[in-house]
Amino acid sequence: MTPKAEKKLMKLLEEVATNEYVRCPDWKGREVYLPVSSETMYIGDPFVFFVRGNRVRMASLKAANKYLDYIYAKMDEAQNAVNHD
């Protein structure tokens, strides 16, 4: 991530009450980041941030859910591979 993009991401993270994030697997040519907080997080829509170059945006609910479905499917594939060895 470029320094300019990281600055933009940090500003968006402040809006969701954190300043920490974790990098996740890329998706559709974008870097993907999820917020991390040591505080109690309440049930609600997932926050997923997409970065491409200097462009940073919070994913729409539809895009966030599609990304999470993709990641969970990958996790299931990995777990099934381990269980079959």
Side-chain angles (χ1 to χ4, degrees):
M1 173 176 8
T2 67
K4 187 174 182 178
E6 185 169 25
K7 189 173 182 178
K8 291 178 181 179
L9 177 61
M10 295 306 291
K11 186 171 181 170
L12 287 171
L13 288 170
E14 287 177 14
E15 293 178 18
V16 296
T18 189
N19 63 355
E20 298 179 48
Y21 58 86
V22 63
R23 171 116 188 235
C24 296
D26 292 356
W27 190 57
K28 295 187 176 183
R30 299 177 189 110
E31 295 176 15
V32 181
Y33 298 87
L34 299 178
V36 177
S37 177
S38 59
E39 300 294 321
T40 301
M41 306 267 314
Y42 296 96
I43 301 293
D45 295 339
F47 293 113
V48 177
F49 298 94
F50 294 136
V51 177
R52 183 180 289 162
N54 287 327
R55 185 169 178 235
V56 180
R57 69 177 181 89
M58 186 182 307
S60 67
L61 178 57
K62 183 177 180 178
N65 283 327
K66 282 185 178 185
Y67 178 75
L68 294 174
D69 287 345
Y70 164 77
I71 289 301
Y72 293 141
K74 290 289 185 189
M75 290 169 55
D76 286 344
E77 288 174 14
Q79 185 63 43
N80 288 336
V82 168
N83 290 340
H84 287 90
D85 286 345

